[in-house]
Amino acid sequence: MSATQVTPICIAGTWRPGSGAAYDSLYPATGEPVATLRAASLDDVDEAVTRADQAFRTSGWARLKAHERAAVLWRIASTIRERSEELARRQTLDNGKPIQETRALVQSAAGTFQFFAAACETLEGTLTPARGEYMTMSVHEPMGVVAAITPWNSPIASEAQKLAPALAAGNAVVIKPAEVTPLLALELARICDECGVPQGIVSVLAGAGSVIGDALVRHPLVRRVSFTGGTTTGRQIAHIAADKMMPVSLELGGKSPTIVLDDADLEHAVAGVLYGIFSSSGESCIAGSRLFVARSVREAFVELLLRRAATLRVGDPLDPRTQMGPLITARHRESVARYVELGLSEGGRLLAGGRSPDDAALARGYYFLPTVIDGLVNSDRMCQEEIFGPVLAVMDFDDERELLERANTSSYALAAGIWSRDYKRAWALGRALQAGTVWINTYKQLSVSTPFGGFKDSGLGREKGRLGILEYMQQKSLYWGLNEAPLPWAN
Ligand code: NAD
């Protein structure tokens, strides 16, 4: 692996190094550089946004017929599919996720472009019932320059989730990927170029969020922000958006409960709980990090869970058999380890993991073993704060009403899981849980055709779904006078 050349970034359709500081993007499995970049500077931000606004007004992209814009999105979807293996590999090098997961993320990105091509082509305005001597119509129009700010955990999927609907709607988009994972957003911009998106409509600015991201959100020509990331950052962005009177969507953190009722299929539930917390090494906003198990099945369930957790394959992310790769950075691994210490100091008991693997072959990577802790109560900090790592807190319950109260006692409300054979109990719980998504007898399944987002500190707004394109459009009403006579008041 070598990163001697500077990887250009995409500023207003031109490919060149940013004019900010140089930095390396590292492979989390070894700590070696994958690419050297120069971050965007504040001038680069201004240039990208100003040119995006110009391209939005003059390139014809916003005025293309819907089916013509959809055709470009279709080409993007096909190109992603043609290059899927190369893109998956690049993403694994960029953020350390196992190749089997990055392959799925690449397919998901292609599916997202295809889906929003269809949404674009089939979107209709409406003729609303007239209440006077006029015809009334509601239409949707693009907004202008959209800023798309993404985190490091699932780059190509998060970026496609914003880029595809924003482009389908006819906007220009400036993407600010996470500083440590810039490579897939750059690949997407290249593909957009090749597939006929006009120059300047897409830019990708690498660099620190507190500098580049902040400047982008504040830029007067940015008319909408779509943000995925932490709650603290999301709240700062919401304040700026309020001052600018700018719509914003915020996909933020989570501390999701998974509930195993006493009538659950335990084998099925264990597989779901393991996948829910340990896939992506727990670096997932929807990770099922708080487990509530019915006391009557707790012993059997936890025994099975620990047996299966011990067999998870932690290792080389490029090996297709690997289930858990490294964490994103050394610093993040330290933060996860500190949370484990905190949990133990709060009275938790370590049942598995809690440290890096012993395997010398993994010593250079930022690995952390699947970790299970019990003995905590829901109000403990380890059960309330997002760890964003492979750490599961196990709690039990007797009474469903009290369980619901505990499961809902969280500042977050992004996702939840229920395991039960009784569909009536599961339905009642599913409706009462505070979460933007509830999975019943499955977990962490996501579909572009189903809206996604959180309540409470987990965010505002929804992404995906056929009407997700409208999140990137502004509604306009038109009244067409049909009366031959002038308006009576003026006579
Ligand atoms: P983060 O908030 O630190 O960063 C997210 C993005 O925002 C990055 O691109 C970063 O550079 C940028 N940023 C940072 N400060 C900024 C500022 N002041 N102004 C503008 N942009 C700024 O989050 P992270 O550590 O990259 O990602 C982890 C977080 O993302 C977790 O909390 C996780 O739950 C959340 N997340 C949520 C979802 C969801 O859909 N709800 C999905 C994935 C991740």
Side-chain angles (χ1 to χ4, degrees), residues 149-153 176-179 207-210 213-214 217 227-231 233 236-237 251-254 284-285 386 388 414 452 458:
I149 304 179
T150 53
W152 42 260
N153 61 322
K176 212 305 279 167
E179 191 174 13
S210 55
D214 181 71
V217 174
F227 172 79
T228 300
T231 298
T233 319
Q236 286 170 17
I237 290 174
E251 299 286 354
L252 309 178
S284 164
C285 54
E386 187 183 44
F388 221 60
L414 189 61
F452 179 80
S458 292

